[in-house]
Amino acid sequence: MRVLGIETSCDETAASVVALDGASAPEILSNVVLSQIEEHAAFGGVVPEIAARAHVEALDGIVEAALADSGVVLGDIDAIAATAGPGLVGGLIVGLMTAKAIAAAANKPLIAINHLEGHALTARLTDGLDFPYLLLLVSGGHTQIVAVRGVGDYQRWATTIDDALGEAFDKTAKMLGLPYPGGPNVEKAAASGNAARFAFPRPMKGSAQPDFSFSGLKTAVRQAATAIAPLSDQDVADICASFQAAVADALGDRVGRALNRFRQELPGKADPALVVAGGVAANRTIKATLEKLCVQAGFQFVAPPLKLCTDNAAMIAWAGIERLRAGMAEENAADFVPRSRWPLDSISAPMVGSGRRGAKA
Ligand code: KG4
Ligand code: ZN
């Protein structure tokens, strides 16, 4: 099985070919990712219109490069898988329309993939993980804990009631005058800071409600920064370190609850695993906190290589293979319309603040 994947839901234009032959391990034959960070840096965040235009300009070349790198010609591809949501609708339209055109021209099936399903199934591509397992997705757009029970069988156990965690890092960086994207710069500054200087809140810690919240923490950071302005480099470092400590602590509390729930609800799993995905998973303080938590709870800690944790098309191609293999690709007709909002788990109640149009993801 060889599937061409296309990803354009946010600010990465990506294409990849993934192969699965019989019972052997899957193989990523190519994985091309073009980041638009430079296009958006001046604005301190992703500008949807700029993103969509950049996808239009780059995508055909990226697909060509992914095919060339893979050594597979289009005729030998079994299906085209493209991200159809959730995400910025301009980019989704570019990716899905391109995929439809390629599928029609080459007479291949098209598989519309939920971007979150791509993240959810990556650990099976990289680590051959068996179902069920627990996924913590922490990126610029999403903060979720999902019980991954099978292909197409996902239960969202927790989500953010306000900002995504990556967004909280980015906004904190912006407040402190650090460049975009904020996460890596906050982590860098935190390395020389005193994490005990500011007692920032640990949002939701101890709460019976399983969800996340980061906007109160962001406000506390703003108040602390305003109170001692102008900020020296040491002040910035101390705020970053204290912020990061608060985040890690709050995250550990939330994930700890989910590990317990997994043990109770899916007790048959002898060697349970927690998988992390998303750009924030690159953060060493957060990673160390989660790793420790897993050791204590008897969970395997799985962190796929960062390149496959952040947005990429190999995860989309792989989700296509999983769907083909499970006989679930035919649900995806070629007339699939991009969905800017597309919850992975349609049963979970929409979050507060998700508005009239319902849950985003
Ligand atoms: O998964 P990703 O590359 O893209 C999407 O959001 O889809 O995640 C990007 C997010 C950004 O908010 C970025 O600031 C954050 O991940 N990030 C980090 C770190 N590296 C990236 N946050 C904290 N620490 C890091 N080292
Ligand atoms: Zn993503």
Side-chain angles (χ1 to χ4, degrees), residues 139-141 166-167 169-170 181-184 187 278-280 282-283 310-311:
S139 69
E167 196 180 350
F169 268 95
D170 294 337
E187 181 174 18
V280 184
N283 187 286
T310 55
D311 288 352

Side-chain angles (χ1 to χ4, degrees), residues 133-134 258-263 271-274 290-291 293-302:
Y133 52 87
L134 202 61
L259 297 184
N260 287 339
R261 179 171 170 187
F262 191 93
R263 280 259 187 240
D271 186 21
L274 172 73
L290 296 172
E291 226 163 345
L293 198 66
C294 282
V295 170
Q296 285 164 353
F299 273 65
Q300 194 189 333
F301 179 72
V302 180

Side-chain angles (χ1 to χ4, degrees), residues 10-345:
C10 190
D11 61 342
E12 274 92 15
T13 315
S16 162
V17 178
V18 176
L20 181 69
D21 287 309
S24 53
E27 212 183 327
I28 299 172
L29 301 180
S30 63
N31 186 16
V32 184
V33 181
L34 177 72
S35 167
Q36 301 176 359
I37 281 181
E38 280 177 19
E39 269 94 340
H40 302 289
F43 304 93
V46 178
V47 183
E49 180 64 10
I50 293 176
R53 286 173 191 273
H55 287 307
V56 172
E57 280 170 22
L59 186 56
D60 54 352
I62 297 290
V63 169
E64 231 165 39
L67 282 171
D69 284 3
S70 73
V72 177
V73 293
L74 192 54
D76 292 334
I77 294 281
D78 294 289
I80 322 292
T83 302
L88 300 173
V89 79
L92 293 172
I93 291 171
V94 173
L96 191 57
M97 292 304 146
T98 303
K100 283 182 184 179
I102 296 172
N107 198 22
K108 306 285 180 188
L110 171 79
I111 312 171
I113 300 291
N114 182 313
H115 177 87
L116 301 171
E117 179 169 63
H119 281 303
L121 298 176
T122 299
R124 291 167 53 76
L125 167 65
T126 57
D127 293 76
L129 217 58
D130 288 330
F131 296 123
Y133 52 87
L134 202 61
L135 171 79
L136 171 68
L137 174 61
V138 275
S139 69
H142 305 286
T143 307
Q144 304 195 348
I145 298 176
V146 178
V148 182
R149 296 149 45 111
V151 179
D153 184 4
Y154 313 102
Q155 272 187 354
R156 196 193 67 202
W157 283 2
T159 186
T160 178
I161 60 175
D162 40 56
D163 293 348
L165 183 51
E167 196 180 350
F169 268 95
D170 294 337
K171 287 177 175 172
T172 295
K174 206 170 175 180
M175 268 188 269
L176 300 175
L178 298 172
Y180 174 83
N185 291 304
V186 169
E187 181 174 18
K188 211 193 284 170
S192 53
N194 172 8
R197 177 161 165 206
F198 298 94
F200 290 138
R202 272 62 175 156
M204 309 293 284
K205 190 173 176 184
S207 157
Q209 188 191 346
D211 297 308
F212 302 93
S213 165
F214 297 106
S215 79
L217 175 57
K218 182 184 66 189
T219 305
V221 169
R222 177 178 294 123
Q223 284 166 347
T226 310
I228 58 165
L231 303 177
S232 68
D233 286 353
Q234 192 57 53
D235 291 333
V236 169
D238 292 347
I239 292 175
C240 287
S242 303
F243 165 80
Q244 202 171 256
V247 163
D249 199 12
L251 206 59
D253 174 72
R254 308 284 78 199
V255 174
R257 287 183 62 85
L259 297 184
N260 287 339
R261 179 171 170 187
F262 191 93
R263 280 259 187 240
Q264 277 163 14
E265 291 190 18
L266 300 152
K269 188 79 180 167
D271 186 21
L274 172 73
V275 177
V276 287
V280 184
N283 187 286
R284 271 158 294 189
T285 303
I286 290 175
K287 226 173 171 171
T289 304
L290 296 172
E291 226 163 345
K292 198 167 140 199
L293 198 66
C294 282
V295 170
Q296 285 164 353
F299 273 65
Q300 194 189 333
F301 179 72
V302 180
L306 201 61
K307 213 174 159 206
L308 297 170
C309 265
T310 55
D311 288 352
N312 67 86
M315 70 179 189
I316 304 304
W318 173 248
I321 289 181
E322 291 262 39
R323 285 204 161 252
L324 275 178
R325 191 164 61 165
M328 294 166 75
E330 66 279 2
E331 294 169 15
N332 284 279
D335 54 3
F336 199 100
V337 175
R339 297 178 63 178
S340 58
R341 292 169 179 243
W342 186 4
L344 191 52
D345 169 359

